Amino acid sequence: LGIVGRTGSGKTTLTTLIPRFHDPTAGMVRIGGIDIREVTLAGLRARIGVVGQEVQILDASLRDNLALFAPPSPALDDRLRAIMATLDLGDWLDGLPHGLDTRLGAGGVGLSAGQMQVLSCARILLRDPDIVILDEASSRLDPASERMLHRAFAVLLDGRTALIVAHRLATLALADDILVLADGRVVEHGPRERLAADPASRYADLLRLDAEELS
């Protein structure tokens, strides 16, 4: 589901309700028909992965950055290498001086913004959640890094429910459906391709505005 709307329309607020960073003051959020307040917070968040604008890189090894200090094991390393290869970072990993033991600097010193975002995708793939939220994850990247990240997104979102909030509407090519928000309310919802082809739709209007900004 691609979620679009002007600044202040409620896009980020909606995404924060799903992992219960906030609770609604009225109504409820259901996943699989169940009010999410009826399950444990840890159980809920274990099934949700979030990729945002900011990626936290720790002063620790690549392994610990990806597995978040899970006990090392050959099985874990094999899985991490497979994930990195799937995300087109296998050659980069092979070129590191100490492989998965290579120490990364706090804040991602020496990494590009695109690499940091792809590493955040690797973290989520390791956890294998059911729901993935992309909140403006590619908004600060140059075109080459954005293309690299979109390839990673295609892998990350395969077979999962995804909510994609994007300022750059090209990211929404990954979405099946579109939800348009205005002033905290749903004003349009439907299949992406149908809305894009309808010149009277709000989504088509946003696409035109986006094209004008890029031209």
mmCIF file of all heavy atoms in Angstrom, residues 138-176:
data_model
loop_
_atom_site.group_PDB
_atom_site.id
_atom_site.type_symbol
_atom_site.label_atom_id
_atom_site.label_comp_id
_atom_site.label_asym_id
_atom_site.label_seq_id
_atom_site.Cartn_x
_atom_site.Cartn_y
_atom_site.Cartn_z
ATOM 1 N N SER A 138 13.796 6.736 1.066
ATOM 2 C CA SER A 138 14.734 7.091 -0.010
ATOM 3 C C SER A 138 14.753 8.582 -0.298
ATOM 4 O O SER A 138 15.322 9.019 -1.301
ATOM 5 C CB SER A 138 14.366 6.337 -1.298
ATOM 6 O OG SER A 138 13.080 6.688 -1.746
ATOM 7 N N SER A 139 14.190 9.387 0.599
ATOM 8 C CA SER A 139 13.994 10.806 0.279
ATOM 9 C C SER A 139 15.292 11.603 0.233
ATOM 10 O O SER A 139 15.346 12.657 -0.384
ATOM 11 C CB SER A 139 13.040 11.437 1.293
ATOM 12 O OG SER A 139 13.581 11.390 2.597
ATOM 13 N N ARG A 140 16.366 11.115 0.881
ATOM 14 C CA ARG A 140 17.602 11.889 0.952
ATOM 15 C C ARG A 140 18.729 11.326 0.096
ATOM 16 O O ARG A 140 19.884 11.685 0.270
ATOM 17 C CB ARG A 140 18.071 11.979 2.405
ATOM 18 C CG ARG A 140 17.084 12.683 3.329
ATOM 19 C CD ARG A 140 17.622 12.779 4.742
ATOM 20 N NE ARG A 140 16.683 13.452 5.632
ATOM 21 C CZ ARG A 140 16.900 13.676 6.924
ATOM 22 N NH1 ARG A 140 18.039 13.261 7.477
ATOM 23 N NH2 ARG A 140 15.986 14.284 7.667
ATOM 24 N N LEU A 141 18.399 10.435 -0.828
ATOM 25 C CA LEU A 141 19.432 9.737 -1.583
ATOM 26 C C LEU A 141 19.603 10.326 -2.973
ATOM 27 O O LEU A 141 18.665 10.856 -3.569
ATOM 28 C CB LEU A 141 19.076 8.251 -1.704
ATOM 29 C CG LEU A 141 18.898 7.471 -0.398
ATOM 30 C CD1 LEU A 141 18.606 6.018 -0.710
ATOM 31 C CD2 LEU A 141 20.116 7.596 0.489
ATOM 32 N N ASP A 142 20.829 10.191 -3.500
ATOM 33 C CA ASP A 142 21.081 10.566 -4.879
ATOM 34 C C ASP A 142 20.491 9.478 -5.775
ATOM 35 O O ASP A 142 20.172 8.380 -5.316
ATOM 36 C CB ASP A 142 22.585 10.709 -5.123
ATOM 37 C CG ASP A 142 23.329 9.414 -4.846
ATOM 38 O OD1 ASP A 142 23.346 8.532 -5.726
ATOM 39 O OD2 ASP A 142 23.869 9.269 -3.726
ATOM 40 N N PRO A 143 20.312 9.770 -7.083
ATOM 41 C CA PRO A 143 19.649 8.800 -7.967
ATOM 42 C C PRO A 143 20.283 7.418 -7.979
ATOM 43 O O PRO A 143 19.572 6.409 -7.982
ATOM 44 C CB PRO A 143 19.731 9.474 -9.338
ATOM 45 C CG PRO A 143 19.752 10.944 -9.021
ATOM 46 C CD PRO A 143 20.551 11.052 -7.750
ATOM 47 N N ALA A 144 21.629 7.330 -7.989
ATOM 48 C CA ALA A 144 22.288 6.018 -8.029
ATOM 49 C C ALA A 144 22.004 5.225 -6.757
ATOM 50 O O ALA A 144 21.696 4.024 -6.805
ATOM 51 C CB ALA A 144 23.788 6.183 -8.227
ATOM 52 N N SER A 145 22.087 5.893 -5.598
ATOM 53 C CA SER A 145 21.803 5.222 -4.329
ATOM 54 C C SER A 145 20.333 4.835 -4.235
ATOM 55 O O SER A 145 19.991 3.778 -3.692
ATOM 56 C CB SER A 145 22.166 6.140 -3.154
ATOM 57 O OG SER A 145 23.550 6.400 -3.114
ATOM 58 N N GLU A 146 19.469 5.679 -4.795
ATOM 59 C CA GLU A 146 18.039 5.376 -4.774
ATOM 60 C C GLU A 146 17.734 4.127 -5.584
ATOM 61 O O GLU A 146 16.939 3.276 -5.164
ATOM 62 C CB GLU A 146 17.247 6.567 -5.309
ATOM 63 C CG GLU A 146 15.742 6.416 -5.138
ATOM 64 C CD GLU A 146 14.984 7.661 -5.561
ATOM 65 O OE1 GLU A 146 15.576 8.524 -6.245
ATOM 66 O OE2 GLU A 146 13.797 7.775 -5.218
ATOM 67 N N ARG A 147 18.394 3.969 -6.730
ATOM 68 C CA ARG A 147 18.181 2.764 -7.543
ATOM 69 C C ARG A 147 18.646 1.524 -6.788
ATOM 70 O O ARG A 147 17.977 0.473 -6.831
ATOM 71 C CB ARG A 147 18.916 2.891 -8.879
ATOM 72 C CG ARG A 147 18.256 3.866 -9.865
ATOM 73 C CD ARG A 147 18.846 3.739 -11.256
ATOM 74 N NE ARG A 147 20.251 4.151 -11.295
ATOM 75 C CZ ARG A 147 20.654 5.390 -11.512
ATOM 76 N NH1 ARG A 147 19.780 6.358 -11.693
ATOM 77 N NH2 ARG A 147 21.951 5.680 -11.553
ATOM 78 N N MET A 148 19.783 1.618 -6.110
ATOM 79 C CA MET A 148 20.288 0.498 -5.324
ATOM 80 C C MET A 148 19.295 0.134 -4.221
ATOM 81 O O MET A 148 19.000 -1.047 -3.991
ATOM 82 C CB MET A 148 21.642 0.856 -4.706
ATOM 83 C CG MET A 148 22.219 -0.237 -3.805
ATOM 84 S SD MET A 148 23.876 0.160 -3.175
ATOM 85 C CE MET A 148 23.502 1.546 -2.085
ATOM 86 N N LEU A 149 18.744 1.154 -3.569
ATOM 87 C CA LEU A 149 17.811 0.901 -2.478
ATOM 88 C C LEU A 149 16.506 0.316 -2.994
ATOM 89 O O LEU A 149 15.924 -0.570 -2.358
ATOM 90 C CB LEU A 149 17.548 2.197 -1.710
ATOM 91 C CG LEU A 149 16.689 2.065 -0.444
ATOM 92 C CD1 LEU A 149 17.328 1.101 0.536
ATOM 93 C CD2 LEU A 149 16.487 3.430 0.208
ATOM 94 N N HIS A 150 16.040 0.766 -4.157
ATOM 95 C CA HIS A 150 14.793 0.228 -4.706
ATOM 96 C C HIS A 150 14.941 -1.255 -5.037
ATOM 97 O O HIS A 150 13.984 -2.025 -4.877
ATOM 98 C CB HIS A 150 14.381 1.022 -5.938
ATOM 99 C CG HIS A 150 13.764 2.346 -5.604
ATOM 100 N ND1 HIS A 150 13.225 3.180 -6.532
ATOM 101 C CD2 HIS A 150 13.597 2.972 -4.410
ATOM 102 C CE1 HIS A 150 12.755 4.265 -5.953
ATOM 103 N NE2 HIS A 150 12.985 4.165 -4.664
ATOM 104 N N ARG A 151 16.130 -1.669 -5.484
ATOM 105 C CA ARG A 151 16.354 -3.103 -5.712
ATOM 106 C C ARG A 151 16.264 -3.866 -4.393
ATOM 107 O O ARG A 151 15.710 -4.971 -4.338
ATOM 108 C CB ARG A 151 17.711 -3.327 -6.379
ATOM 109 C CG ARG A 151 17.789 -2.831 -7.819
ATOM 110 C CD ARG A 151 19.029 -3.372 -8.535
ATOM 111 N NE ARG A 151 20.264 -2.894 -7.922
ATOM 112 C CZ ARG A 151 20.889 -1.787 -8.288
ATOM 113 N NH1 ARG A 151 20.393 -1.026 -9.259
ATOM 114 N NH2 ARG A 151 22.032 -1.427 -7.709
ATOM 115 N N ALA A 152 16.803 -3.274 -3.329
ATOM 116 C CA ALA A 152 16.720 -3.908 -2.008
ATOM 117 C C ALA A 152 15.277 -3.954 -1.527
ATOM 118 O O ALA A 152 14.843 -4.958 -0.932
ATOM 119 C CB ALA A 152 17.590 -3.146 -1.011
ATOM 120 N N PHE A 153 14.517 -2.886 -1.783
ATOM 121 C CA PHE A 153 13.111 -2.863 -1.378
ATOM 122 C C PHE A 153 12.335 -3.982 -2.059
ATOM 123 O O PHE A 153 11.475 -4.620 -1.444
ATOM 124 C CB PHE A 153 12.473 -1.523 -1.743
ATOM 125 C CG PHE A 153 12.859 -0.379 -0.840
ATOM 126 C CD1 PHE A 153 12.624 0.926 -1.233
ATOM 127 C CD2 PHE A 153 13.445 -0.600 0.389
ATOM 128 C CE1 PHE A 153 12.964 1.999 -0.418
ATOM 129 C CE2 PHE A 153 13.804 0.457 1.218
ATOM 130 C CZ PHE A 153 13.561 1.756 0.803
ATOM 131 N N ALA A 154 12.625 -4.219 -3.339
ATOM 132 C CA ALA A 154 11.905 -5.263 -4.063
ATOM 133 C C ALA A 154 12.107 -6.626 -3.405
ATOM 134 O O ALA A 154 11.175 -7.427 -3.315
ATOM 135 C CB ALA A 154 12.360 -5.303 -5.522
ATOM 136 N N VAL A 155 13.318 -6.875 -2.914
ATOM 137 C CA VAL A 155 13.599 -8.124 -2.194
ATOM 138 C C VAL A 155 12.900 -8.119 -0.836
ATOM 139 O O VAL A 155 12.258 -9.094 -0.435
ATOM 140 C CB VAL A 155 15.118 -8.303 -2.004
ATOM 141 C CG1 VAL A 155 15.412 -9.522 -1.124
ATOM 142 C CG2 VAL A 155 15.815 -8.437 -3.344
ATOM 143 N N LEU A 156 13.008 -6.998 -0.124
ATOM 144 C CA LEU A 156 12.465 -6.900 1.230
ATOM 145 C C LEU A 156 10.947 -7.075 1.250
ATOM 146 O O LEU A 156 10.398 -7.700 2.161
ATOM 147 C CB LEU A 156 12.846 -5.544 1.829
ATOM 148 C CG LEU A 156 12.334 -5.225 3.237
ATOM 149 C CD1 LEU A 156 12.880 -6.223 4.250
ATOM 150 C CD2 LEU A 156 12.728 -3.801 3.617
ATOM 151 N N LEU A 157 10.263 -6.517 0.259
ATOM 152 C CA LEU A 157 8.806 -6.502 0.286
ATOM 153 C C LEU A 157 8.172 -7.749 -0.308
ATOM 154 O O LEU A 157 6.962 -7.947 -0.167
ATOM 155 C CB LEU A 157 8.288 -5.268 -0.464
ATOM 156 C CG LEU A 157 8.792 -3.916 0.029
ATOM 157 C CD1 LEU A 157 8.074 -2.789 -0.696
ATOM 158 C CD2 LEU A 157 8.638 -3.773 1.526
ATOM 159 N N ASP A 158 8.964 -8.594 -0.952
ATOM 160 C CA ASP A 158 8.410 -9.775 -1.605
ATOM 161 C C ASP A 158 7.724 -10.688 -0.587
ATOM 162 O O ASP A 158 8.346 -11.150 0.376
ATOM 163 C CB ASP A 158 9.529 -10.539 -2.324
ATOM 164 C CG ASP A 158 9.001 -11.720 -3.114
ATOM 165 O OD1 ASP A 158 7.900 -11.616 -3.670
ATOM 166 O OD2 ASP A 158 9.691 -12.752 -3.174
ATOM 167 N N GLY A 159 6.433 -10.923 -0.781
ATOM 168 C CA GLY A 159 5.693 -11.817 0.091
ATOM 169 C C GLY A 159 5.275 -11.211 1.415
ATOM 170 O O GLY A 159 4.802 -11.935 2.300
ATOM 171 N N ARG A 160 5.440 -9.893 1.575
ATOM 172 C CA ARG A 160 5.092 -9.238 2.834
ATOM 173 C C ARG A 160 4.073 -8.131 2.605
ATOM 174 O O ARG A 160 3.975 -7.577 1.513
ATOM 175 C CB ARG A 160 6.339 -8.635 3.491
ATOM 176 C CG ARG A 160 7.358 -9.658 3.944
ATOM 177 C CD ARG A 160 8.566 -8.993 4.582
ATOM 178 N NE ARG A 160 9.457 -9.988 5.158
ATOM 179 C CZ ARG A 160 10.409 -10.615 4.475
ATOM 180 N NH1 ARG A 160 10.614 -10.323 3.195
ATOM 181 N NH2 ARG A 160 11.157 -11.529 5.053
ATOM 182 N N THR A 161 3.325 -7.818 3.644
ATOM 183 C CA THR A 161 2.477 -6.632 3.628
ATOM 184 C C THR A 161 3.373 -5.421 3.836
ATOM 185 O O THR A 161 4.203 -5.405 4.739
ATOM 186 C CB THR A 161 1.427 -6.698 4.747
ATOM 187 O OG1 THR A 161 0.556 -7.802 4.505
ATOM 188 C CG2 THR A 161 0.614 -5.418 4.825
ATOM 189 N N ALA A 162 3.210 -4.404 2.995
ATOM 190 C CA ALA A 162 4.069 -3.226 3.093
ATOM 191 C C ALA A 162 3.238 -1.955 3.048
ATOM 192 O O ALA A 162 2.257 -1.863 2.309
ATOM 193 C CB ALA A 162 5.085 -3.207 1.955
ATOM 194 N N LEU A 163 3.649 -0.984 3.849
ATOM 195 C CA LEU A 163 3.105 0.362 3.790
ATOM 196 C C LEU A 163 4.246 1.281 3.391
ATOM 197 O O LEU A 163 5.268 1.337 4.083
ATOM 198 C CB LEU A 163 2.516 0.791 5.136
ATOM 199 C CG LEU A 163 1.220 0.075 5.537
ATOM 200 C CD1 LEU A 163 1.549 -1.206 6.295
ATOM 201 C CD2 LEU A 163 0.354 0.976 6.395
ATOM 202 N N ILE A 164 4.068 1.978 2.276
ATOM 203 C CA ILE A 164 5.142 2.790 1.708
ATOM 204 C C ILE A 164 4.729 4.251 1.712
ATOM 205 O O ILE A 164 3.809 4.646 0.997
ATOM 206 C CB ILE A 164 5.460 2.354 0.262
ATOM 207 C CG1 ILE A 164 5.759 0.854 0.202
ATOM 208 C CG2 ILE A 164 6.619 3.164 -0.296
ATOM 209 C CD1 ILE A 164 5.840 0.312 -1.220
ATOM 210 N N VAL A 165 5.401 5.045 2.543
ATOM 211 C CA VAL A 165 5.215 6.491 2.531
ATOM 212 C C VAL A 165 6.381 7.075 1.752
ATOM 213 O O VAL A 165 7.540 6.824 2.088
ATOM 214 C CB VAL A 165 5.195 7.076 3.954
ATOM 215 C CG1 VAL A 165 5.091 8.601 3.913
ATOM 216 C CG2 VAL A 165 4.036 6.493 4.746
ATOM 217 N N ALA A 166 6.090 7.822 0.698
ATOM 218 C CA ALA A 166 7.176 8.288 -0.161
ATOM 219 C C ALA A 166 6.908 9.698 -0.656
ATOM 220 O O ALA A 166 5.812 10.009 -1.119
ATOM 221 C CB ALA A 166 7.346 7.352 -1.351
ATOM 222 N N HIS A 167 7.939 10.538 -0.535
ATOM 223 C CA HIS A 167 7.875 11.866 -1.148
ATOM 224 C C HIS A 167 8.169 11.743 -2.636
ATOM 225 O O HIS A 167 7.518 12.383 -3.469
ATOM 226 C CB HIS A 167 8.883 12.801 -0.476
ATOM 227 C CG HIS A 167 8.975 14.149 -1.117
ATOM 228 N ND1 HIS A 167 7.939 15.056 -1.068
ATOM 229 C CD2 HIS A 167 9.953 14.737 -1.851
ATOM 230 C CE1 HIS A 167 8.286 16.152 -1.724
ATOM 231 N NE2 HIS A 167 9.502 15.970 -2.215
ATOM 232 N N ARG A 168 9.163 10.913 -2.985
ATOM 233 C CA ARG A 168 9.459 10.642 -4.387
ATOM 234 C C ARG A 168 8.515 9.541 -4.862
ATOM 235 O O ARG A 168 8.632 8.388 -4.450
ATOM 236 C CB ARG A 168 10.914 10.216 -4.555
ATOM 237 C CG ARG A 168 11.909 11.315 -4.183
ATOM 238 C CD ARG A 168 13.330 10.843 -4.391
ATOM 239 N NE ARG A 168 14.297 11.869 -4.025
ATOM 240 C CZ ARG A 168 15.609 11.703 -4.070
ATOM 241 N NH1 ARG A 168 16.108 10.553 -4.475
ATOM 242 N NH2 ARG A 168 16.426 12.677 -3.721
ATOM 243 N N LEU A 169 7.605 9.887 -5.733
ATOM 244 C CA LEU A 169 6.550 8.964 -6.099
ATOM 245 C C LEU A 169 7.055 7.770 -6.894
ATOM 246 O O LEU A 169 6.343 6.781 -7.041
ATOM 247 C CB LEU A 169 5.463 9.700 -6.871
ATOM 248 C CG LEU A 169 4.765 10.828 -6.083
ATOM 249 C CD1 LEU A 169 3.582 11.373 -6.886
ATOM 250 C CD2 LEU A 169 4.286 10.352 -4.713
ATOM 251 N N ALA A 170 8.294 7.823 -7.418
ATOM 252 C CA ALA A 170 8.846 6.669 -8.130
ATOM 253 C C ALA A 170 8.905 5.448 -7.214
ATOM 254 O O ALA A 170 8.782 4.311 -7.676
ATOM 255 C CB ALA A 170 10.230 6.997 -8.666
ATOM 256 N N THR A 171 9.093 5.674 -5.914
ATOM 257 C CA THR A 171 9.142 4.560 -4.957
ATOM 258 C C THR A 171 7.832 3.782 -4.952
ATOM 259 O O THR A 171 7.808 2.582 -4.670
ATOM 260 C CB THR A 171 9.436 5.092 -3.546
ATOM 261 O OG1 THR A 171 10.602 5.903 -3.589
ATOM 262 C CG2 THR A 171 9.652 3.963 -2.554
ATOM 263 N N LEU A 172 6.734 4.452 -5.292
ATOM 264 C CA LEU A 172 5.424 3.818 -5.221
ATOM 265 C C LEU A 172 5.178 2.828 -6.359
ATOM 266 O O LEU A 172 4.136 2.178 -6.393
ATOM 267 C CB LEU A 172 4.334 4.889 -5.213
ATOM 268 C CG LEU A 172 4.385 5.830 -4.007
ATOM 269 C CD1 LEU A 172 3.311 6.881 -4.118
ATOM 270 C CD2 LEU A 172 4.238 5.059 -2.702
ATOM 271 N N ALA A 173 6.128 2.709 -7.283
ATOM 272 C CA ALA A 173 6.011 1.674 -8.315
ATOM 273 C C ALA A 173 5.990 0.282 -7.688
ATOM 274 O O ALA A 173 5.545 -0.683 -8.322
ATOM 275 C CB ALA A 173 7.155 1.791 -9.316
ATOM 276 N N LEU A 174 6.461 0.170 -6.447
ATOM 277 C CA LEU A 174 6.446 -1.104 -5.730
ATOM 278 C C LEU A 174 5.078 -1.420 -5.136
ATOM 279 O O LEU A 174 4.849 -2.534 -4.671
ATOM 280 C CB LEU A 174 7.484 -1.075 -4.593
ATOM 281 C CG LEU A 174 8.946 -0.950 -5.019
ATOM 282 C CD1 LEU A 174 9.810 -0.556 -3.821
ATOM 283 C CD2 LEU A 174 9.439 -2.243 -5.634
ATOM 284 N N ALA A 175 4.177 -0.447 -5.132
ATOM 285 C CA ALA A 175 2.879 -0.611 -4.463
ATOM 286 C C ALA A 175 1.827 -1.169 -5.415
ATOM 287 O O ALA A 175 1.812 -0.858 -6.607
ATOM 288 C CB ALA A 175 2.408 0.730 -3.908
ATOM 289 N N ASP A 176 0.938 -1.986 -4.880
ATOM 290 C CA ASP A 176 -0.217 -2.468 -5.638
ATOM 291 C C ASP A 176 -1.364 -1.469 -5.566
ATOM 292 O O ASP A 176 -2.052 -1.211 -6.551
ATOM 293 C CB ASP A 176 -0.689 -3.822 -5.089
ATOM 294 C CG ASP A 176 0.404 -4.878 -5.171
ATOM 295 O OD1 ASP A 176 0.839 -5.181 -6.287
ATOM 296 O OD2 ASP A 176 0.818 -5.376 -4.104
#
